[in-house]
């Protein structure tokens, strides 16, 4: 790196792994705003939590007033497709333009970029029902006015076929000349620590490839499950292909899930770690009565973890006063 940065005669070619590492930093959690949107908007929409102002300001669903909260998390997914998805495509094109020897070196990376792209795309199709995909990311190289793809079985099956192709690359033995991703992979290049310390590098490229294969297979199975009622034939095809090799093909524990090592994006100046937004849920949001009742009926042991008691317990003077003067309510 010192030579690249100080020698003006050096050809400025970037190792594709550096590009991948930069794009995947803070994967799908690249701002403090998303953390808040995930907690507040989704939870409120599902009526697990409600804003203290309730329906008066349209914070949660109110059928009578015809007000509801918009899921901002969907907008984040749309933005990620045209940010990360675009950069994954550009990286694939860059690898395609290398000589044959170098293409083999980065064959795994090419497949992993495709997995990320399909992952981002399906979520947008699932939430929006349409997205610019088949003609997307061409820009000055092709189509400046790409058309929307309306989500249907054919679009889903093309995504599934694309993902299946990338899985085959990782299911086969690695090329002898493969450029190992190692620490350049923020998702599976590290082992997440159970303590608040920086994760350790994985150091096992075979395991790294296997985890990406499991990620892709699990997501392929997820897509098939979502579409099974309208494309049962494809569901059976995917189920057979994915599970033919046994459960070793898919996630078997949370430890195999995709964890991003968030080292603080410069764009956010470390704001991703700012806890003010997420802490406000304990001040301006409450768990709904129906959600608590539902958990109590199930004798769900997670209730004390999901919500803390407020001061309105049986010893509280206000509760005793209400019980005395408003007996019908209690």
């Amino acid at each position: 790196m010192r030579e690249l940065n100080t020698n003006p005669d050096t050809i400025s070619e970037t190792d594709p792994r550096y590009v991948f590492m930069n794009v995947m930093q803070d994967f799908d959690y690249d701002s403090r705003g998303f953390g808040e949107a995930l907690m507040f908007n989704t939870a409120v929409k599902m009526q697990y939590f409600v804003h203290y102002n309730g329906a008066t300001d349209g914070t949660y669903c109110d059928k009578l007033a015809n007000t509801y909260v918009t899921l901002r998390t969907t907008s984040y997914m749309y933005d990620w497709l045209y940010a990360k998805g675009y950069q994954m495509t550009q990286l694939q094109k860059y690898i395609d333009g290398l000589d044959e020897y170098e293409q083999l070196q980065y064959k795994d990376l090419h497949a992993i970029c495709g997995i990320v792209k399909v992952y981002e795309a399906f979520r947008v199709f699932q939430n929006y029902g349409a997205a610019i995909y088949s003609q997307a990311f061409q820009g000055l190289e092709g189509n400046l006015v790409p058309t929307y793809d309306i989500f249907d079985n054919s679009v889903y099956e093309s995504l599934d076929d694309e993902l299946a192709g990338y899985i085959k690359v990782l299911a086969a033995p690695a090329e002898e000349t493969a450029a190992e991703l190692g620490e350049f992979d923020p998702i599976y290049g590290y082992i997440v620590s159970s303590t608040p310390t920086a994760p350790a590098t994985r150091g096992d490229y075979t395991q790294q490839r296997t985890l990406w294969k499991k990620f892709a297979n699990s997501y392929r199975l997820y897509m098939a499950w979502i579409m099974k009622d309208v494309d049962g034939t494809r569901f059976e095809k995917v189920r057979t292909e994915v599970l033919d090799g046994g459960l070793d093909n898919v996630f078997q524990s949370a430890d195999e899930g995709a964890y991003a090592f968030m080292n603080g994006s410069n764009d956010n100046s470390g704001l991703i770690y700012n806890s003010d937004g997420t802490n406000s849920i304990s001040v301006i949001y409450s768990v709904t009565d129906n959600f608590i009742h539902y958990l109590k009926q199930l004798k769900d042991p997670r209730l004390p973890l999901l919500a803390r008691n407020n001061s309105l317990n049986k010893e509280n003077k206000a509760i005793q006063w209400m019980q005395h003067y408003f007996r019908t309510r209690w």
Side-chain angles (χ1 to χ4, degrees):
M1 294 301 294
R2 184 182 297 114
E3 177 71 7
L4 282 173
N5 288 325
T6 58
N7 185 350
D9 298 320
T10 303
I11 298 175
S12 55
E13 289 186 356
T14 302
D15 188 321
R17 293 174 296 179
Y18 296 163
V19 180
F20 180 77
M21 178 177 64
N22 183 61
V23 177
M24 296 300 288
Q25 180 180 248
D26 301 338
F27 178 54
D28 277 8
Y29 199 99
D30 55 4
S31 71
R32 171 188 165 193
F34 173 66
E36 293 182 53
L38 186 63
M39 290 176 66
F40 297 163
N41 293 93
T42 306
V44 168
K45 186 74 171 181
M46 298 304 294
Q47 298 292 274
Y48 299 147
F49 298 93
V50 291
H51 193 271
Y52 75 99
N53 279 343
T56 56
D57 63 355
T59 306
Y60 66 91
C61 297
D62 180 0
K63 293 179 181 178
L64 296 178
N66 195 26
T67 60
Y68 64 95
V69 64
T70 301
L71 286 180
R72 285 193 292 126
T73 46
T74 305
S75 298
Y76 278 99
M77 293 170 187
Y78 194 85
D79 292 340
W80 288 332
L81 171 59
Y82 297 111
K84 291 182 172 65
Y86 168 74
Q87 293 178 85
M88 291 293 107
T89 303
Q90 292 300 101
L91 189 48
Q92 283 184 311
K93 288 179 180 178
Y94 178 81
I95 294 172
D96 289 337
L98 298 174
D99 61 46
E100 187 177 354
Y101 176 81
E102 289 179 307
Q103 283 187 32
L104 289 176
Q105 267 190 301
Y106 297 109
K107 189 176 179 180
D108 290 348
L109 179 57
H110 187 281
I112 291 170
C113 287
I115 291 168
V116 173
K117 182 181 65 171
V118 172
Y119 165 76
E120 298 287 359
F122 182 77
R123 292 191 308 176
V124 174
F125 277 119
Q126 184 183 351
N127 285 281
Y128 277 96
I132 301 170
Y133 186 73
S134 61
Q135 296 182 8
F137 316 130
Q138 294 176 6
L140 297 176
E141 301 169 20
N143 191 351
L144 292 174
V145 284
T147 60
Y148 275 87
D149 296 301
I150 305 301
F151 193 53
D152 58 14
N153 285 10
S154 63
V155 172
Y156 155 62
E157 289 183 4
S158 68
L159 288 172
D160 181 62
D161 289 339
E162 188 178 354
L163 187 56
Y166 300 135
I167 291 170
K168 285 182 180 178
V169 173
L170 298 178
E175 298 290 335
E176 290 184 10
T177 58
E180 298 188 1
L181 285 179
E183 66 270 21
F184 301 110
D185 174 7
I187 306 301
Y188 288 125
Y190 299 85
I191 299 174
V192 178
S193 173
S194 59
T195 59
T197 57
T201 52
R202 186 172 297 278
D204 185 340
Y205 186 55
T206 299
Q207 189 182 57
Q208 206 168 342
R209 292 179 84 246
T210 299
L211 287 169
W212 271 112
K213 183 190 72 174
K214 287 189 172 190
F215 177 98
N217 269 320
S218 298
Y219 199 68
R220 191 180 177 208
L221 202 57
Y222 167 79
M223 292 196 305
W225 179 261
I226 294 296
M227 298 296 292
K228 69 182 175 66
D229 289 339
V230 293
D231 200 340
T233 302
R234 177 57 65 123
F235 172 73
E236 292 300 329
K237 178 179 185 292
V238 171
R239 186 174 65 85
T240 300
E241 291 179 2
V242 170
L243 299 179
D244 235 10
L247 292 177
D248 286 342
N249 272 337
V250 295
F251 290 155
Q252 297 184 59
S253 69
D255 291 337
E256 295 180 337
Y259 290 91
F261 171 33
M262 296 187 293
N263 55 358
S265 168
N266 289 332
D267 294 336
N268 296 303
S269 302
L271 288 178
I272 194 168
Y273 297 113
N274 192 319
S275 60
D276 292 347
T278 50
N279 281 342
S280 66
I281 195 169
S282 64
V283 179
I284 60 176
Y285 283 82
S286 302
V287 183
T288 57
D289 287 340
N290 60 336
F291 186 44
I292 292 176
H293 176 74
Y294 171 73
L295 294 176
K296 283 183 175 179
Q297 289 294 104
L298 294 176
K299 294 182 171 57
D300 196 313
R302 296 171 298 175
L303 180 56
L305 302 176
L306 293 171
R308 71 164 190 260
N309 287 324
N310 55 28
S311 60
L312 301 180
N313 53 64
K314 65 179 183 179
E315 304 300 328
N316 182 273
K317 299 293 184 184
I319 284 288
Q320 292 176 359
W321 186 88
M322 286 187 284
Q323 288 175 334
H324 180 76
Y325 291 102
F326 296 92
R327 296 178 185 277
T328 54
R329 284 289 304 276
W330 304 92

